Amino acid sequence: MEFHSEIELAEEEMKKKVLVDYESVPGVINFDLLRKALLQHCPEGKISKAVANESDFENCANIAIEYFNILRIDFLWVMPNLKVLSLANNLIEKIERLDTLVNLVELNLSFNKIEKIENLNKLVNLEVLNLYGNGISKIENLDELTKLTLLSVGGNNINNLECEIVSALLPQLVYYDYSFISEADRCIGRSLNLKMVQEIEEKELIEKELKDAFEEKEKRKEYQRRAMIEGFDDNEFFEFLMADDANYNAIRTVGEEAVFIFNDYQEKLSNFSKKICSIGEEYLVLREEEVENFEKGSNEREKICSDMVDQILCELRMKRREWKRELQDLFSIKSEEPVEALVDSLQRSQEVKFLFSDLIKQSWFKLMDLEMRRFEYAKETNTNFELELKEIINKQVEAFQNVFTDIRDTEKQFKQAIYEVMNRIVTDFHARRQHLGNLPQELKWIFAEPESLHNFIKVSYEQHLYLLECLEDKLMQLLLEWQEQKIGHLAKKENERNRDAVYRLNVFLDHQINYFDEMTKPLLKQCQKILSDGYVDKVQNKILSAVNQLQLK
């Protein structure tokens, strides 16, 4: 123990005597710095031979690179057989690039600026790790260092990490901060660690339950939004009406009879909320089924039309390839061949060009006919979809309106019941000549002037009617917006698709014609060359006529 105390004192003294020149240029690990470090920390004359060549660094087993203002660990791959490495008293901020030092037994990174223990998992032979005097706040990422027996993390930002707890986290340790870990320490550590694990598990369980509850709540909100029933869950509807109603809330405190009427009113509103939710959920299924069927039908129709277009274009390409091969054979005519062969080739080229032009026209008519039928069918399908969807929306609107009509009737009945109860209470109050001091501030006025009771209740009643009207309008607006979102752009979208399809068809077919024209140019050049040589004087006019006809579109 005295030995370890002396080491601690020596480290404290070293920390006080660190003379790192922060104003100087940061050191970079390279061959020159490694050679300087070896010469600085070893007896004179024993290193020069060992590091005469750069390749000799491979055999180096021990090096101390200290007080060099090093900012980053690097270049140590040239010393793969290192067993002891000290990088103490530098400016290193991150543990990195040590993976190649698999033979390392002792690593000293004390008095640097490291904030996290990391990137040590490859150092499987490490036994001693000194991280004294850094900015580390947590012991972590040491699980794979199974041979680690000594760990020093003093002088860091680690709080309440006693020897017992560390011994439980790293059972292979023998020394922690140069103190021997006894068996008693290990027993205490295991007990503390078990307690910590239980606390962590309990905390994680609570967090998971909270997260699941939040996700379920969000999922419920999303479902309510789709069903247009937001604000009708549990007692939300009742609380929405009563939230800013000071008059009714004051009346709720006056007598058991008033409380009974309010409870009955709350129950009726709760039933109305359930009815609205039921309607919303029922029509959500109908609306989504209608949209799904429409989209499914549209996709099937698109596939059928696409297959038919592909078939027409495939036939066009096949004929084009066939005629292309024939034209290539015609192009192979040489000047030594009879003039009649040249004339026959030109005539056949004219025939092929005419046949291809005719095929292009036929293909264009087929494709345009298919596109127009597709367009008309899409218009009809979209119209039917719009009618079906509007019918569903109208039925849902009607169902909601019927419920709100019943709610308004309930409001009227509630208003009358409250008036009758409050009238009896006020009359009895004056008959007994009771004092106003025990009444809520909002009620003192009507008890002082009973004729104001009607207006007092009317204010709350009209406020409720206004809120109901706003809520009903909101539901109707949401339904109409959803309807507009689904069908509002169908016609415009189909028109744009049709225009784009017609344009692409025309471009494609024009390209085919131009492509075929390009194939006939070599034959024309061949003919012109033969004519320029004066080889076919006696039939020159006949060939020129054929060439001119071939050039005509």
Side-chain angles (χ1 to χ4, degrees), residues 289-299 301 378 381-382 385 486 490:
E289 282 181 354
E290 187 66 30
V291 171
E292 183 180 354
N293 292 335
F294 170 73
E295 291 177 347
K296 184 179 178 181
S298 297
N299 292 336
R301 184 176 70 250
T381 305
N382 290 349
F385 172 65
K486 295 299 178 182
L490 284 178

Side-chain angles (χ1 to χ4, degrees), residues 34 55 84-85 98 143 193 224 330 352 406 408 428 479 522 546 550:
L34 292 178
S55 59
V84 179
L85 170 63
L98 295 172
D143 299 341
N193 187 54
Q224 289 177 327
L330 295 174
V352 170
D406 294 340
R408 290 186 180 90
D428 184 59
L479 286 169
L550 183 61

Side-chain angles (χ1 to χ4, degrees), residues 486-518:
K486 295 299 178 182
I487 66 177
H489 304 294
L490 284 178
K492 181 180 178 182
K493 183 178 178 182
E494 180 58 25
N495 286 333
E496 290 176 351
R497 188 209 62 77
N498 176 254
R499 283 197 298 269
D500 182 62
V502 171
Y503 172 76
R504 285 187 289 108
L505 281 176
N506 288 328
V507 169
F508 174 78
L509 295 175
D510 287 343
H511 172 72
Q512 297 300 313
I513 293 172
N514 293 333
Y515 177 79
F516 200 82
D517 287 342
E518 289 295 322

Side-chain angles (χ1 to χ4, degrees), residues 447-464:
F447 276 84
E449 300 181 19
E451 61 275 7
S452 63
L453 176 61
H454 181 269
N455 289 333
F456 184 81
I457 294 176
K458 184 180 178 182
V459 169
S460 291
Y461 172 67
E462 290 179 348
Q463 180 181 336
H464 281 212

Side-chain angles (χ1 to χ4, degrees), residues 379-504:
K379 281 178 61 178
E380 182 181 353
T381 305
N382 290 349
T383 301
N384 292 335
F385 172 65
E386 290 180 19
L387 292 175
E388 291 290 337
L389 209 57
K390 284 181 179 179
E391 184 178 355
I392 294 172
I393 295 294
N394 290 336
K395 287 182 178 179
Q396 186 173 359
V397 167
E398 184 179 355
F400 277 158
Q401 287 175 338
N402 291 336
V403 175
F404 274 93
T405 299
D406 294 340
I407 294 173
R408 290 186 180 90
D409 292 340
T410 299
E411 280 289 335
K412 189 174 182 180
Q413 295 167 7
F414 173 68
K415 171 193 138 184
Q416 185 62 32
I418 283 295
Y419 177 77
E420 292 174 358
V421 169
M422 287 303 298
N423 191 38
R424 287 198 299 272
I425 292 174
V426 170
T427 303
D428 184 59
F429 178 86
H430 281 282
R432 296 183 181 185
R433 296 184 178 181
Q434 294 176 324
H435 193 268
L436 295 174
N438 296 327
L439 294 171
Q441 189 64 36
E442 293 83 1
L443 297 179
K444 288 182 179 180
W445 177 43
I446 62 171
F447 276 84
E449 300 181 19
E451 61 275 7
S452 63
L453 176 61
H454 181 269
N455 289 333
F456 184 81
I457 294 176
K458 184 180 178 182
V459 169
S460 291
Y461 172 67
E462 290 179 348
Q463 180 181 336
H464 281 212
L465 291 183
Y466 172 74
L467 292 174
L468 288 173
E469 183 179 356
C470 292
L471 191 56
E472 185 178 9
D473 289 344
K474 179 184 175 183
L475 286 176
M476 303 305 121
Q477 186 63 29
L478 287 173
L479 286 169
L480 292 176
E481 286 177 358
W482 183 88
Q483 175 181 296
E484 180 65 21
Q485 179 187 356
K486 295 299 178 182
I487 66 177
H489 304 294
L490 284 178
K492 181 180 178 182
K493 183 178 178 182
E494 180 58 25
N495 286 333
E496 290 176 351
R497 188 209 62 77
N498 176 254
R499 283 197 298 269
D500 182 62
V502 171
Y503 172 76
R504 285 187 289 108

Side-chain angles (χ1 to χ4, degrees), residues 158-172:
I158 302 173
N159 298 322
N160 301 323
L161 202 58
E162 301 297 335
C163 172
E164 296 85 355
I165 299 176
V166 175
S167 67
L169 294 173
L170 301 169
Q172 75 274 22

